[in-house]
Amino acid sequence: MKRILIFLFLLAPLSISAQIITVKDRETGQALELARLVSQKPKAFATTNKNGQADLSAFKGSERIEIRLVGYRLAVKRYDELAGENSVVYLSPSPVSSDEIVVSANRWEQPKREAPHKITTITPKDVALLNPQTAADMLGTTGEVFIQKSQQGGGSPMIRGFATYRLLYSVDGVRMNNAIFRGGNIQQVISLDALAIENAEILFGPGSVMYGSDAIGGVMNFQTLSPQFSLYDEPFVTGKGVARFSSGNGEQTGHFHLNVGWKNLAFLSSLTYSDFGDPRMGRIGRQEYLRPFFVQRIDNIDRVVANDNPLVQTPNAYNQINLTQKVRYAPASQWELQYGFHFSETSEYARYDRLIETAADGLPRHSVWNYGPQKWTMHNVSVAHKAESALYDVATLRLAYQYFQESRIDRPFSGGNRFRLRKQIEEVNAYSANLDFTKAFGSQRLFYGAEVVLNNVKSRGSGTDIRNNASIRVPDRYPQSDWASYAAYLNYQHRVLPQLLVQAGARYNYFAIDSDFSRNLDVFPLPFRTAKIRSGAFTGNLGMVFTPDETWTASANVSTGFRAPNVDDIGKIFDQPQNVVVVPNPNLKAEYAYNAELSIGKTFSDVARIELTGYYAYLDNALVRRNFQFNGQDFILYDGRLSRVQAIQNASFADVRGVQAGLELKLPAGFGASSRFNYQIGNEEMDDGSKSRSRHAAPWFGVTRLTYSNRKLDLQLYAMYSGEVSFENLNFEERGKPQIYAKDAQGRPFSPSWLTLNLKALYRFEENFTITAGVENLADARYRPYSSGLVAMGRNFVLALRAGL
């Protein structure tokens, strides 16, 4: 060990002499962290550290260095202007600025104004003030992503009328979606640590050219904390600790991360632990949402027990741990290597929406319905090389391995299986390789690359008789399977005029599935033992951005997206609340989305900015659940119940149209205001040719904020709101879940509108010590977001302390 430490210390100082720049706020003089410096000639980029400092050595000779940070006006400098010792650049605050750097559009850094897609950014500053409990809550704070929750341990984003496996998650440039992402609501996003996110971006609309299958409704791109080098001879040591408490569910969260860096070697470690109790709903609202009883096993008998406090949603408590370890090494100015390790694990937690479901006799349908611990591990190695060769200016290779484990544990309250505790465990080993290049030719730029993704799925079902611990045969949820994707892509940008940029791209994806159903044939005598799918998908996009001056931005984009069938589609066996059983169907092909959108943005004298985006998306050959036959039968006996047979099929189409609007105002004396509003309508074709509203098209929703900021204090008073979904506009499938909806005057299920008022404050005692306090749902409203099983928390007091090194 001692020899390894000596070797690392010898490596650390091997670097050319640095040219240091410091970026500060013009009004307060505070150092600005995470400001981006970008140059095209030479090709160079850097990010300021906690002290607002960055090394300019790689920018030598540049005639244009752009310095950008969310909430500040763009600054442009020449290298010669910054060549002096301890040079300082001051950025002017501009809450209506749209000059930030984004990476989602092309997997490479570029100004947001050059992207024809709508992109929203979430920064650590937003997280520090708003204090979302999970990464799902963090997405919801934007007011542009609707979050559905079946239980507290969850959070399924809805974007532009799409959700679940029609949205893509990317973590540090690596695809997180795997072969068992499903059409039902998912909660994989909570595996991410909101306190270890350096930057998050939401790209709206299809992103399949750059990201492949599943990127139909949008892409959520998460960049976790990066190790920072030292700019001087001595090590650069920095870190932060966070302690947070929330009254609404007794949340207790602790977080700490530490960075130790030398000139070309840096380490970063991060650890977060959270414990969540049962959440309390608000006092003012619908009686249908109360939790009057729950099930307990007493003296070996399942009993319905009165809830002492019907406002408390029990059981929902769980805990979670997140660990991140990163190493960054730059052996030369042209090379950089990074290794990242992520680990996340939750405790077992209840699926609340199933536990509030009742049978025809009014008794609970389930005694137990839990998700087992959700586990996620990722190892990620990336190698970046800057060459300015004939083939590329910058190339990046990413190799990753991910392990996912999820499980379901359930037991009915009554019937022949009431003593059988069923457990189904799924494991996915996911391997991926991405090779990405970028090359500039004057006013033209190429982004191109290749991707290989391999998933191995293992599924095991088991049952136990709780009376004597005897084993009971239970079918596996999935067949044992291998899923593979091979792709190549090309994206081309051309600045035709100083005011006009055109972008076009294409991708070809070949995918393959091999599934073996042998383990389930004794339970389901399928007419096949194995299933194979071999197919391909071609997608493309064409967009333009027109910026007649610094105040106007207009963009138009047409694009296609696709989702290749996965193991969940072809092979899942599971039951639904409405006495429905879903059986395997290997005869599937990819579904396609066709999207068109138009955006316009206008800034008024650095005082106001308005943005408006309209879009239309059409989903063809949609993979949906429809009535099916099993061995010629419409109904079969499954799990002790006569159930209607259904299967996933390419049997439908869907369309979504909508508008997204944004307004930002800079008011006098440090005040400001902003608003985000989303309106979408989706329809899908049913079996009989009729149309139903899309299940994942949320009602209109948004957020409006009034803010105040000075050197010591940030204040935010904001309202979050959502519209009603009447019975007539409720998706046909959702009508079959009356336990999660309110009742209208005719006793029919519907989702009422709601609004909450919230207040947050952050005070800086010292440079490295802040306190955040807030009250969420000031009016203590009782409401349930559309399609959610969990009722939102009532009045919630939040207190967080942050201390840094």
Side-chain angles (χ1 to χ4, degrees):
M1 185 65 185
K2 185 183 292 184
R3 292 181 180 179
I4 295 175
L5 290 174
I6 293 173
F7 174 70
L8 293 178
F9 272 94
L10 288 173
L11 282 177
L14 299 178
S15 176
I16 60 175
S17 60
Q19 170 63 52
I20 309 302
I21 181 178
T22 302
V23 181
K24 294 185 176 183
D25 184 301
R26 183 177 297 278
E27 295 182 0
T28 67
Q30 288 182 312
L32 297 177
E33 185 178 8
L34 299 178
R36 305 285 186 94
L37 287 72
V38 179
S39 167
Q40 296 301 327
K41 291 185 178 181
K43 191 76 177 178
F45 50 85
T47 303
T48 57
N49 62 20
K50 184 197 75 167
N51 300 324
Q53 297 177 324
D55 184 1
L56 281 181
S57 302
F59 295 79
K60 189 172 183 179
S62 176
E63 291 296 314
R64 183 180 176 86
I65 301 173
E66 297 180 350
I67 306 170
R68 303 172 186 266
L69 181 62
V70 177
Y72 289 86
R73 208 176 295 155
L74 168 69
V76 179
K77 300 288 183 180
R78 299 191 316 273
Y79 177 82
D80 292 343
E81 296 180 74
L82 306 173
E85 186 176 353
N86 298 322
S87 180
V88 177
V89 172
Y90 291 94
L91 297 186
S92 299
S94 177
V96 298
S97 171
S98 62
D99 283 327
E100 64 261 37
I101 293 290
V102 295
V103 298
S104 299
N106 289 302
R107 299 177 67 94
W108 296 97
E109 293 185 333
Q110 69 176 123
K112 181 179 177 181
R113 281 166 58 89
E114 295 182 2
H117 302 82
K118 174 177 170 57
I119 298 174
T120 291
T121 302
I122 306 171
T123 69
K125 185 178 179 181
D126 301 324
V127 173
L129 175 62
L130 298 175
N131 276 302
Q133 293 189 352
T134 68
D137 296 332
M138 178 184 72
L139 292 169
T141 63
T142 63
E144 296 180 299
V145 178
F146 193 91
I147 301 298
Q148 181 277 351
K149 290 187 178 184
S150 297
Q151 65 285 323
Q152 182 171 230
S156 188
M158 297 182 184
I159 298 176
R160 286 191 176 182
F162 296 101
T164 62
Y165 54 17
R166 294 188 180 113
L167 301 176
L168 188 125
Y169 304 84
S170 175
V171 183
D172 292 341
V174 177
R175 172 193 181 90
M176 192 184 191
N177 294 42
N178 63 51
I180 61 171
F181 267 41
R182 59 190 181 274
N185 297 305
I186 61 175
Q187 52 269 348
Q188 273 73 10
V189 71
I190 70 168
S191 291
L192 304 177
D193 182 2
L195 294 172
I197 300 295
E198 186 172 275
N199 186 67
E201 296 174 9
I202 304 144
L203 180 147
F204 295 87
S208 287
V209 168
M210 304 306 298
Y211 295 93
S213 177
D214 305 359
I216 288 179
V219 176
M220 290 159 283
N221 196 336
F222 302 90
Q223 174 62 51
T224 62
L225 295 172
S226 297
Q228 296 181 354
F229 294 132
S230 175
L231 303 178
Y232 302 97
D233 291 334
E234 62 271 15
F236 177 65
V237 180
T238 184
K240 183 174 291 185
V242 179
R244 184 174 64 218
F245 172 78
S246 301
S247 66
N249 58 354
E251 179 217 11
Q252 299 178 68
T253 291
H255 165 84
F256 180 73
H257 69 259
L258 178 67
N259 181 99
V260 180
W262 293 269
K263 284 193 173 181
N264 61 352
L265 180 67
F267 299 88
L268 183 136
S269 300
S270 173
L271 175 67
T272 300
Y273 178 81
S274 295
D275 185 84
F276 306 98
D278 292 329
R280 182 190 66 82
M281 66 183 78
R283 297 182 183 278
I284 303 171
R286 309 287 305 200
Q287 292 294 111
E288 302 98 311
Y289 296 162
L290 294 173
R291 176 67 159 152
F293 59 81
F294 56 91
V295 176
Q296 276 190 336
R297 191 161 181 79
I298 302 172
D299 297 329
N300 293 322
I301 299 175
D302 291 333
R303 301 182 187 274
V304 177
V305 178
N307 190 356
D308 291 338
N309 185 352
L311 298 177
V312 176
Q313 300 176 84
T314 183
N316 259 300
Y318 79 103
N319 58 66
Q320 179 171 338
I321 188 170
N322 284 81
L323 174 66
T324 299
Q325 178 64 58
K326 287 191 172 185
V327 181
R328 181 183 177 195
Y329 176 53
S333 59
Q334 297 84 16
W335 289 92
E336 183 173 303
L337 292 79
Q338 277 205 50
Y339 165 74
F341 168 75
H342 298 275
F343 172 79
S344 174
E345 182 174 355
T346 70
S347 64
E348 186 174 309
Y349 54 89
R351 180 166 175 180
Y352 183 72
D353 66 334
R354 289 294 183 97
L355 294 177
I356 62 176
E357 183 187 351
T358 55
D361 58 7
L363 293 175
R365 190 178 289 277
H366 299 278
S367 293
V368 177
W369 214 119
N370 293 342
Y371 284 113
Q374 179 172 295
K375 301 178 182 180
W376 172 63
T377 299
M378 181 169 78
H379 299 269
N380 177 17
V381 176
S382 65
V383 181
H385 181 231
K386 292 186 292 185
E388 298 193 16
S389 66
L391 293 178
Y392 62 87
D393 296 330
V394 185
T396 301
L397 172 66
R398 291 183 181 88
L399 303 174
Y401 164 74
Q402 297 178 81
Y403 171 78
F404 302 86
Q405 184 187 108
E406 58 184 60
S407 56
R408 293 158 181 81
I409 305 159
D410 72 290
R411 185 170 60 81
F413 181 80
S414 58
N417 287 320
R418 67 186 182 277
F419 299 116
R420 186 206 64 186
L421 185 68
R422 177 174 59 177
K423 186 172 185 178
Q424 293 175 308
I425 300 178
E426 284 73 55
E427 296 177 293
V428 180
N429 291 282
Y431 307 85
S432 63
N434 292 83
L435 186 58
D436 300 302
F437 303 92
T438 179
K439 177 64 183 176
F441 304 90
S443 61
Q444 304 172 73
R445 198 174 176 191
L446 281 178
F447 309 89
Y448 63 100
E451 178 186 70
V452 176
V453 180
L454 306 173
N455 282 195
N456 173 259
V457 178
K458 296 178 181 178
S459 182
R460 294 289 185 272
S462 63
T464 303
D465 190 320
I466 62 173
R467 296 169 297 184
N468 54 24
N469 290 325
S471 295
I472 301 173
R473 176 72 173 99
V474 168
D476 305 333
R477 181 176 171 88
Y478 296 113
Q480 314 311 302
S481 303
D482 290 302
W483 184 92
S485 169
Y486 308 90
Y489 75 89
L490 172 68
N491 219 16
Y492 169 74
Q493 277 188 354
H494 183 200
R495 186 161 289 283
V496 181
L497 299 169
Q499 302 85 7
L500 179 64
L501 183 143
V502 176
Q503 176 175 298
R507 179 189 185 102
Y508 179 75
N509 229 105
Y510 176 81
F511 54 89
I513 305 178
D514 292 277
S515 294
D516 185 347
F517 295 85
S518 300
R519 285 175 49 86
N520 279 341
L521 292 181
D522 61 327
V523 180
F524 279 91
L526 297 169
F528 48 86
R529 179 177 293 270
T530 62
K532 292 185 178 182
I533 293 180
R534 301 287 188 274
S535 190
F538 182 82
T539 53
N541 63 41
L542 176 64
M544 56 80 67
V545 181
F546 181 58
T547 51
D549 57 38
E550 290 298 319
T551 66
W552 280 98
T553 303
S555 64
N557 189 44
V558 291
S559 55
T560 60
F562 79 99
R563 189 179 73 81
N566 64 17
V567 176
D568 183 89
D569 294 311
I570 74 165
K572 179 169 60 179
I573 301 172
F574 76 114
D575 62 319
Q576 285 283 28
Q578 306 91 347
N579 292 333
V580 169
V581 60
V582 179
V583 301
N585 176 20
N587 301 310
L588 300 177
K589 56 186 178 180
E591 58 183 14
Y592 278 87
Y594 304 89
N595 182 82
E597 63 183 273
L598 180 65
S599 298
I600 190 167
K602 169 65 175 175
T603 301
F604 298 89
S605 303
D606 202 29
V607 172
R609 180 169 178 81
I610 297 175
E611 295 179 347
L612 184 66
T613 300
Y615 61 88
Y616 175 79
Y618 180 85
L619 185 66
D620 195 22
N621 279 323
L623 290 161
V624 293
R625 192 170 65 242
R626 290 288 184 262
N627 289 341
F628 199 64
Q629 286 191 331
F630 182 79
N631 289 337
Q633 295 180 303
D634 295 328
F635 291 84
I636 62 174
L637 193 66
Y638 179 75
D639 206 22
R641 292 185 291 177
L642 187 65
S643 300
R644 184 66 170 92
V645 177
Q646 293 188 340
I648 302 297
Q649 305 169 58
N650 291 102
S652 179
F653 69 84
D655 66 349
V656 183
R657 56 181 60 84
V659 175
Q660 294 177 284
L663 170 66
E664 296 179 37
L665 295 173
K666 182 181 179 180
L667 303 175
F671 285 93
S674 66
S675 191
R676 295 286 183 271
F677 180 78
N678 309 267
Y679 178 79
Q680 52 277 313
I681 295 179
N683 296 288
E684 61 183 60
E685 183 188 34
M686 305 308 292
D687 269 345
D688 58 3
S690 63
K691 287 187 177 182
S692 167
R693 287 295 171 91
S694 294
R695 175 187 173 195
H696 292 136
W700 58 261
F701 69 98
V703 61
T704 299
R705 311 180 194 271
L706 176 64
T707 63
Y708 171 78
S709 182
N710 63 31
R711 182 169 184 173
K712 288 285 189 179
L713 179 66
D714 292 332
L715 283 174
Q716 189 172 120
L717 175 66
Y718 62 100
M720 302 194 76
Y721 39 84
S722 175
E724 174 184 306
V725 180
S726 66
F727 175 79
E728 289 79 11
N729 290 328
L730 192 62
N731 171 266
F732 291 173
E733 182 181 334
E734 292 296 294
R735 294 179 186 179
K737 305 174 185 176
Q739 72 274 12
I740 69 172
Y741 288 102
K743 293 181 175 64
D744 65 13
Q746 287 77 44
R748 302 173 304 177
F750 84 111
S751 179
S753 61
W754 53 266
L755 178 146
T756 65
L757 291 175
N758 314 270
L759 178 65
K760 297 290 175 67
L762 184 149
Y763 187 79
R764 304 172 189 87
F765 286 95
E766 300 289 344
E767 181 181 354
N768 292 319
F769 182 71
T770 63
I771 182 170
T772 307
V775 186
E776 298 172 341
N777 195 355
L778 280 159
D780 208 18
R782 184 188 309 147
Y783 69 99
R784 177 179 265 145
Y786 165 73
S787 192
S788 293
L790 189 74
V791 181
M793 271 194 288
R795 187 181 296 119
N796 179 36
F797 295 90
V798 182
L799 179 67
L801 304 177
R802 282 174 167 79
L805 297 176

